[in-house]
Amino acid sequence: MIEVLHKIDSVFTIDCVIFGFDEGELKILMIERNEEPYKNWWALPGYYVGQDEGIDHAAERILYELTGLRDIYMEQLYTFGDVHRHPNGRVITVAYYAMIRLNGQKDLKPVTNYARKAFWAPVNELPELAYDHSQIFKKSLEKVRRKISYQPIAFELLPEKFTLTQLQHLYEVILNKKLDKRNFRKKMLNYGILRELNEKQRGVSYRAAKLYKFDRKKYMKLFQKELSFSR
Amino acid sequence: MIEVLHKIDSVFTIDCVIFGFDEGELKILMIERNEEPYKNWWALPGYYVGQDEGIDHAAERILYELTGLRDIYMEQLYTFGDVHRHPNGRVITVAYYAMIRLNGQKDLKPVTNYARKAFWAPVNELPELAYDHSQIFKKSLEKVRRKISYQPIAFELLPEKFTLTQLQHLYEVILNKKLDKRNFRKKMLNYGILRELNEKQRGVSYRAAKLYKFDRKKYMKLFQKELSFSR
């Protein structure tokens, strides 16, 4: 595949920006590269789009080949096309993004040898990444932070039953800032989208917190309503 | 430029999706192509990205060359990369989008001969477009409709002073549906983002309507607040 670079004037790649929310921590899916340039560097899982392959399909294939992850719904995020972004020549890359909940059980195992390994890294502990991946990562994180305000992503990231502390923590982690507890709770409860359960947290030593569930219907409606400035 | 297609395996293009809001009507910027394939067809203004040209810069250049329009802030919308979207081979295109207010005075004049002419066409009166441009247009319009709910675009599209009818009409045109007048007004006034002026519409025969202005500060705050589910 690398030889192609010498024959053509421009090349497409896909880079996958997969966030994982793991027990109150926001992580990003990384690979360790096995090829020059940037051999041994950390990078977003990314590779060349095949000649006869649509880009959406390429994104799925590349994610699978480099990390072993499958069946993840990814969206296009942004296309990076600066002239000098890639040392091998003109390479334009389409970043695809997803945000998933990790349960510890997501097995990572590259099925090609382009990646030496794949792993989840906390977003706050990244070294400088290969190519312009630090920049792609940064732009993606900004986008995710905006998204949490107008898209119901919390729904996908929490377990079915959760405490208000867990919910607040999700927002804090994604927004990367402390939120005022009283304010946050008041606001969240006011929205009427949480259903208080007759259950408490288990396995904690004392003062177990109440568990909540999202009222999916109301939750979706709220997001539509907040957004439909027009109706 | 066309020859390049025979030498390389894949090509990048940019297509510009420029919406114009013109006296209560939503329009889209079109060109009439001067080249085969699709000679004489209507198309979005689009062309090849140069080898040594970043894609943002290419978008500006292409828009200018094909339509004469300059200094328009465009955002990336989406990248279209299906295998068979283009009859000349593998062509991946990045769609850039903008929405502007037309005042009748925007002169359109291609500065290349790739486009025979450039013009604004009402979005509801488009024929089938060249390539997959009908699809790109459709996807863009959906995006704009979502955007009006969570981004303060109305601000950019109305004159400084406007009537409630004009405001409602803007939403109706973009959303392509009738809104209930009483409901719309009540909601809009409740937001507290409109400042009633001591002026009325001029040049109408009778029952001139009151004029309003946006309270820019409150307007921006509302959008931030509505959206910041988290604060």
Side-chain angles (χ1 to χ4, degrees):
Chain A
M1 198 77 174
I2 286 287
E3 285 80 40
V4 169
L5 283 172
H6 306 295
K7 284 189 268 159
I8 72 178
D9 286 326
S10 59
V11 179
F12 291 103
T13 59
I14 301 277
D15 288 302
C16 302
V17 189
I18 314 292
F19 291 97
F21 186 70
D22 189 12
E23 301 284 328
E25 192 171 32
L26 190 62
K27 293 181 172 170
I28 177 94
L29 183 56
M30 288 274 118
I31 60 163
E32 201 175 289
R33 286 175 51 85
N34 209 11
E35 291 184 331
E36 295 295 355
Y38 295 109
K39 189 170 170 147
N40 299 336
W41 283 58
W42 288 18
L44 297 167
Y47 217 70
Y48 300 105
V49 175
Q51 186 69 32
D52 297 310
E53 184 179 46
I55 56 176
D56 290 352
H57 178 261
E60 284 172 35
R61 175 187 60 78
I62 288 165
L63 180 66
Y64 174 64
E65 288 183 0
L66 271 68
T67 71
L69 275 193
R70 265 202 272 215
D71 298 324
I72 291 194
Y73 176 73
M74 291 183 280
E75 280 175 40
Q76 258 190 35
L77 189 81
Y78 202 75
T79 296
F80 295 82
D82 281 354
V83 179
H84 300 295
R85 59 169 296 275
H86 199 290
N88 289 1
R90 189 72 195 271
V91 180
I92 297 185
T93 196
V94 184
Y96 275 74
Y97 129 102
M99 188 157 212
I100 61 178
R101 174 152 63 102
L102 302 181
N103 301 309
Q105 90 282 26
K106 297 258 187 298
D107 265 353
L108 295 176
K109 198 169 169 24
V111 299
T112 65
N113 57 2
Y114 311 132
R116 195 201 295 280
K117 60 176 180 173
F119 53 96
W120 294 101
V123 295
N124 295 325
E125 295 169 23
L126 295 186
E128 200 197 323
L129 303 178
Y131 305 108
D132 58 349
H133 288 191
S134 291
Q135 194 197 327
I136 294 176
F137 162 73
K138 208 177 139 218
K139 182 144 192 153
S140 307
L141 187 55
E142 283 164 17
K143 191 138 178 171
V144 166
R145 286 185 176 146
R146 284 197 304 273
K147 253 177 163 19
I148 199 175
S149 303
Y150 62 82
Q151 287 197 356
I153 59 180
F155 211 68
E156 322 294 339
L157 298 178
L158 288 174
E160 200 197 343
K161 301 169 184 184
F162 51 85
T163 67
L164 290 179
T165 303
Q166 283 176 307
L167 182 60
Q168 179 173 345
H169 204 57
L170 171 74
Y171 275 85
E172 287 181 340
V173 162
I174 293 179
L175 297 172
N176 197 30
K177 67 174 171 198
K178 272 311 258 182
L179 301 171
D180 177 71
K181 183 172 162 176
R182 238 187 97 218
N183 226 342
F184 180 82
R185 293 189 170 209
K186 198 176 139 201
K187 202 154 187 175
M188 276 294 166
L189 293 172
N190 271 348
Y191 279 125
I193 56 173
L194 296 175
R195 265 178 39 210
E196 195 179 321
L197 301 176
N198 262 335
E199 272 177 76
K200 289 202 170 181
Q201 225 178 354
R202 283 173 205 198
V204 291
S205 47
Y206 77 115
R207 282 197 57 136
K210 265 184 232 160
L211 287 170
Y212 291 80
K213 247 178 142 166
F214 280 117
D215 184 325
R216 189 176 188 112
K217 237 168 145 179
K218 283 193 187 156
Y219 185 80
M220 294 304 174
K221 214 171 147 188
L222 171 75
F223 267 97
Q224 275 186 344
K225 214 163 171 174
E226 290 288 291
L227 298 180
S228 69
F229 194 51
S230 54
R231 260 158 273 164
Chain B
M1 200 79 177
I2 285 288
E3 283 82 40
V4 168
L5 284 171
H6 305 296
K7 285 189 267 159
I8 73 179
D9 285 325
S10 59
V11 179
F12 291 104
T13 59
I14 301 276
D15 288 302
C16 301
V17 189
I18 314 293
F19 290 97
F21 186 70
D22 189 13
E23 302 283 327
E25 193 171 29
L26 190 62
K27 294 182 172 170
I28 176 95
L29 183 56
M30 287 275 119
I31 60 162
E32 201 176 289
R33 286 174 52 83
N34 209 9
E35 291 184 332
E36 295 293 355
Y38 294 109
K39 188 168 173 150
N40 300 335
W41 283 58
W42 288 18
L44 297 167
Y47 216 70
Y48 300 105
V49 175
Q51 187 69 33
D52 297 312
E53 182 180 48
I55 56 174
D56 290 351
H57 177 262
E60 283 171 37
R61 175 186 60 78
I62 288 165
L63 180 66
Y64 174 63
E65 288 184 359
L66 271 68
T67 72
L69 276 192
R70 266 201 273 215
D71 299 324
I72 291 194
Y73 176 73
M74 290 183 279
E75 282 175 38
Q76 258 190 35
L77 190 83
Y78 202 76
T79 296
F80 294 82
D82 280 354
V83 179
H84 300 294
R85 60 169 295 276
H86 200 291
N88 290 1
R90 189 71 195 270
V91 180
I92 297 185
T93 196
V94 184
Y96 276 73
Y97 127 102
M99 189 157 209
I100 61 177
R101 175 152 62 102
L102 302 183
N103 301 310
Q105 90 282 26
K106 297 257 188 298
D107 265 352
L108 296 176
K109 195 168 169 29
V111 299
T112 66
N113 58 2
Y114 310 133
R116 195 200 296 279
K117 59 176 182 173
F119 53 97
W120 293 100
V123 296
N124 294 325
E125 295 170 22
L126 295 185
E128 201 196 326
L129 304 177
Y131 304 109
D132 58 350
H133 287 191
S134 291
Q135 196 197 326
I136 295 176
F137 161 74
K138 207 177 140 215
K139 186 148 188 149
S140 308
L141 187 56
E142 283 163 17
K143 194 140 178 172
V144 166
R145 286 184 176 146
R146 285 197 304 274
K147 253 177 167 12
I148 199 174
S149 303
Y150 62 82
Q151 287 195 357
I153 59 180
F155 212 69
E156 322 295 339
L157 298 179
L158 288 174
E160 202 197 340
K161 302 169 183 182
F162 51 84
T163 65
L164 290 179
T165 303
Q166 282 177 308
L167 182 61
Q168 179 172 344
H169 205 56
L170 171 73
Y171 275 85
E172 287 181 339
V173 162
I174 293 178
L175 297 171
N176 197 30
K177 67 175 171 197
K178 272 311 256 182
L179 301 171
D180 178 69
K181 183 171 162 178
R182 238 187 96 217
N183 227 342
F184 180 82
R185 293 186 170 210
K186 198 177 138 202
K187 203 153 186 177
M188 275 294 165
L189 293 172
N190 271 347
Y191 280 125
I193 56 174
L194 296 176
R195 265 177 40 210
E196 194 179 321
L197 301 176
N198 262 335
E199 272 177 75
K200 290 203 170 179
Q201 223 179 355
R202 283 174 203 195
V204 291
S205 48
Y206 77 116
R207 282 196 60 133
K210 264 184 233 160
L211 288 170
Y212 291 81
K213 247 177 142 165
F214 280 117
D215 184 324
R216 187 172 191 115
K217 237 169 146 178
K218 283 193 186 156
Y219 185 79
M220 293 304 173
K221 214 171 147 188
L222 170 75
F223 268 98
Q224 274 185 345
K225 213 162 172 177
E226 290 288 291
L227 298 182
S228 68
F229 195 51
S230 52
R231 261 157 274 164

